[in-house]
Amino acid sequence: GPPPASSNALVEFKAGKMSYDGKKVKPERRKGLIRVTKDMQGMIQFSFCDAETKNKIDNFYVFPGDAKFEKVKQTKDRVYLLEFASTKQRFFYWMQEEEKESDAENCRKVHCHINGLPLDQPAPAQPNIPPVA
């Protein structure tokens, strides 16, 4: 049969969605997955899917440089924000993976994939300056 849908995911992890009323965020009960995929045309999609049905609840085409995915600094909780520069839209999610340690890595992967950045971005090379005699 065809491979499972998640096999084409660039990154995928358990997460929940949060609703935002303009002042504060609150978690929704549904269990879900955040999935970043690349379609046949090479377009990057960010999806939030229901964990059981795999149906997409949020699905966005993301253009490099238009969005950022980052931890919300105002809270100690595992809350992350997907924000679009062009539309000023903001979507809040909370990490649900067992390993809290993987949150930062998953966040970095999502941010890199949606912006077309290499995952293994090395630190900038030091210029090779010959010693002065």
Side-chain angles (χ1 to χ4, degrees), residues 35-89:
R35 182 183 294 155
V36 177
T37 55
K38 186 183 275 195
D39 73 10
M40 303 290 267
Q41 288 76 37
M43 299 280 296
I44 296 291
Q45 286 184 57
F46 176 100
S47 307
F48 174 74
C49 309
D50 183 286
E52 269 140 51
T53 65
K54 303 291 189 261
N55 291 340
K56 292 176 181 175
I57 292 130
D58 292 343
N59 190 47
F60 311 105
Y61 279 100
V62 187
F63 299 94
D66 185 40
K68 61 186 178 185
F69 189 74
E70 62 187 11
K71 179 153 181 18
V72 175
K73 294 170 191 67
Q74 292 82 350
T75 177
K76 296 261 185 285
D77 292 325
R78 301 167 72 188
V79 180
Y80 287 76
L81 166 69
L82 174 68
E83 185 172 26
F84 291 91
S86 58
T87 61
K88 304 289 183 252
Q89 284 181 293

Side-chain angles (χ1 to χ4, degrees), residues 9-27:
L10 300 170
V11 59
E12 177 179 283
F13 51 88
K14 293 179 197 156
K17 185 175 165 62
M18 304 188 86
S19 53
Y20 179 58
D21 65 8
K23 290 189 197 69
K24 56 184 190 253
V25 292
K26 57 180 192 282

